[in-house]
Amino acid sequence: MTGAANCDPLAACANTPGGFTCTCPPGYQGDGTSCADVDECLTLTDNCSDDADCLNTVGGFVCTCKVGFDGSGVQCFDIDECAGDLDNCSENASCENAAGSFVCTCNKGYMGDGVTCEDWNECDLQLDNCSDFAICTNTPGGFSCACAKGYTGDGVVCGDVDECQDAPCDVQASCVNTPGGFGCACNAGWEGDGFTCKDINECMAGGNNCHADAACTNNSGAFSCACKPGYSGDGVLCVDVDECANGTHNCSPDATCTNSQGAF
C-alpha cells in the first residue's frame, strides 16, 4: 500500500509489511481511522469509589470524593465531623456521625433542627408526664408537676380523696367518687337526688313489664307480677287456662262447658 496513512489524529499508526494499522489510544474507541472519547463514567468502566463522583475528561476521567469523604477518589474515607469539631450543631444538641455527613439532634427538653435548639414548653405541648390532676410548670430544659388542690402525690401520681367514705347519700343510693368530688344516685326502683330517695310505684307509674292479664304489686324498690285467676304464667307472660279441657270447671254433667278468656 502506498500513500499517507488515514489514521485518526489521536490514533497510533503502525507500519506493517505492505500496509499499516491504526489503533485508538486508551480512553478512546473506534477503528483507528476514527476515534471517539469513551465516557468511562457513563459506561461504568471507571474505578471511582462508591463515595466519589466520576467526571469524564477527554481520553480519561477524574474521581473526586463526595462531600463528607476524603481520599484519592479511588479510595474515599468518611470524615467524622463530630470528632473533628467540624459540625454546626447547637450547644444544646448532640452530634452523631453518619456516612458522608452528620446529624444534629436537640437534647431532651429542647426543640429545633439541631443546629438551632430552643427550650420547649412540655406543658403547652402536652409532652409532660404530669397527672391529669396536677399542674405542670415549664422549666429550662424540663418541667415540674404539682398535684392540684384536693389531691395528694408527687405530681406524676395524684390520689383523689374518696368522699364516698363519708358522703351523706341516702341509704337507698349508691355513691360514685369523681375527681375532686362525688355523686349520689338512687338505686333502681327509687327516685330522687341521691341524698333523698323514695320508692317508685312501678305499678302506678307504668314502669312495669307485667302482662295485661296480670296484677302488679308494688314492693320496696321493686314490683311483682301475678297472673289473674283464669290465667297461668310468670306474670310477665300469661296465657288463658282452658278449664273445660283440663277438667277444672264446675259445670253440671248435663251441661256443655265453653272456654273463654280467663273463664268458662
Side-chain angles (χ1 to χ4, degrees):
M1 178 178 295
T2 61
N6 62 342
C7 295
D8 188 278
L10 296 174
C13 179
N15 186 57
T16 60
F20 62 93
T21 60
C22 301
T23 305
C24 292
Y28 293 86
Q29 61 182 356
D31 59 3
T33 60
S34 177
C35 295
D37 176 56
V38 175
D39 189 339
E40 294 86 353
C41 302
L42 184 63
T43 58
L44 301 179
T45 56
D46 64 275
N47 63 341
C48 296
S49 167
D50 291 339
D51 298 316
D53 293 320
C54 179
L55 175 65
N56 187 61
T57 61
V58 178
F61 59 93
V62 176
C63 301
T64 305
C65 291
K66 297 178 180 178
V67 176
F69 294 89
D70 189 21
S72 64
V74 177
Q75 287 185 319
C76 295
F77 305 95
D78 175 54
I79 298 173
D80 190 338
E81 294 86 354
C82 301
D85 199 23
L86 301 174
D87 64 272
N88 62 340
C89 297
S90 166
E91 62 180 2
N92 294 315
S94 61
C95 178
E96 181 179 359
N97 188 59
S101 184
F102 59 94
V103 178
C104 301
T105 305
C106 292
N107 296 334
K108 184 178 180 181
Y110 293 86
M111 64 187 304
D113 58 6
V115 177
T116 301
C117 296
E118 298 179 355
D119 174 58
W120 60 18
N121 191 322
E122 294 89 350
C123 302
D124 289 347
L125 296 173
Q126 298 183 346
L127 298 173
D128 62 275
N129 64 339
C130 296
S131 167
D132 291 340
F133 310 115
I135 298 172
C136 179
T137 302
N138 186 60
T139 59
F143 61 93
S144 63
C145 306
C147 291
K149 184 179 179 180
Y151 296 86
T152 182
D154 60 4
V156 177
V157 177
C158 296
D160 173 57
V161 176
D162 189 353
E163 297 87 352
C164 289
Q165 294 182 358
D166 301 312
C169 295
D170 190 276
V171 294
Q172 295 297 339
S174 59
C175 179
V176 178
N177 186 56
T178 59
F182 67 96
C184 297
C186 294
N187 298 330
W190 301 82
E191 62 182 357
D193 60 5
F195 295 98
T196 301
C197 299
K198 64 178 183 178
D199 175 55
I200 298 173
N201 190 333
E202 293 87 354
C203 299
M204 295 290 292
N208 64 82
N209 62 342
C210 296
H211 192 271
D213 295 316
C216 177
T217 302
N218 186 60
N219 301 315
S220 179
F223 63 94
S224 61
C225 305
C227 293
K228 296 176 181 179
Y231 294 87
S232 64
D234 58 5
V236 176
L237 178 63
C238 296
V239 295
D240 176 57
V241 176
D242 190 341
E243 296 86 353
C244 299
N246 62 21
T248 57
H249 63 87
N250 61 347
C251 295
S252 167
D254 298 319
T256 299
C257 178
T258 301
N259 186 61
S260 60
Q261 288 293 318
F264 59 90

